[in-house]
Amino acid sequence: MIGTSPMVIHYVLDMNRAVDFYTFVFEVKPDFESPGWSTFNFESFVLALHILHDGMDEQQIPNAGLNLMVDHIETIQVKIEAAGGELWELREPDDFVPVRVASCRDTEGNGFELRQEV
C-alpha cells in the first residue's frame, strides 16, 4: 500500500514556541498538541512538530523541505518576523524559476520556502 497522507516533520527545541509560530504565521490551529508531538492539517499535507531531546540523532532542517504557495510574500514576511522567524532570501522570477521564492526559517531553525506567482 502506498501512503496517501503526506507529512512533513520539523524537529523543534521548544514545542510551545514552534506551535505559536505556525499558528500565528499561517493561521492554522494544531489538530493535536502535546509536549513532544504536535500536528497541523494544511489540507493537502500534515505538518508535524517533533521535540528534540538528548540522545536523538535528528536535527532541524536548515534548508527548505516545506514549500507553501502564498498570495503575497511580504504580508507573510511581516508575520514570520513578528513571530520570531526570519526571511533570509527573496528571489524574483527568472528564466529558470517563474515564481518569486522566499527562503525562511522558523523559530527553531527549520527552513521552509514561500512561493508567489507573479
Side-chain angles (χ1 to χ4, degrees):
M1 179 175 164
I2 296 174
T4 57
S5 299
M7 178 181 288
V8 174
I9 299 175
H10 277 182
Y11 293 96
V12 303
L13 297 169
D14 184 318
M15 184 62 72
N16 291 332
R17 181 176 62 200
V19 165
D20 289 348
F21 177 85
Y22 286 98
T23 300
F24 177 75
V25 171
F26 297 107
E27 299 175 2
V28 59
K29 294 184 184 206
D31 287 339
F32 178 82
E33 189 173 354
S34 75
W37 178 263
S38 297
T39 59
F40 294 86
N41 185 345
F42 279 82
E43 295 184 18
S44 58
F45 72 96
V46 171
L47 172 64
L49 305 178
H50 187 303
I51 198 74
L52 280 171
H53 55 78
D54 292 338
M56 290 182 68
D57 290 332
E58 289 87 351
Q59 57 186 319
Q60 294 95 338
I61 303 167
N63 297 310
L66 173 63
N67 285 264
L68 300 168
M69 184 65 75
V70 298
D71 292 330
H72 190 254
I73 287 174
E74 285 80 3
T75 300
I76 303 298
Q77 177 183 6
V78 169
K79 295 178 84 172
I80 288 168
E81 292 171 353
E86 69 172 323
L87 185 152
W88 58 272
E89 181 181 28
L90 178 59
R91 296 180 306 281
E92 296 298 332
D94 60 26
D95 292 338
F96 298 102
V97 180
V99 296
R100 299 178 81 208
V101 178
S103 297
C104 307
R105 287 190 190 93
D106 67 16
T107 55
E108 308 306 298
N110 290 295
F112 62 95
E113 288 182 346
L114 304 176
R115 292 174 289 125
Q116 175 188 335
E117 292 182 356
V118 289

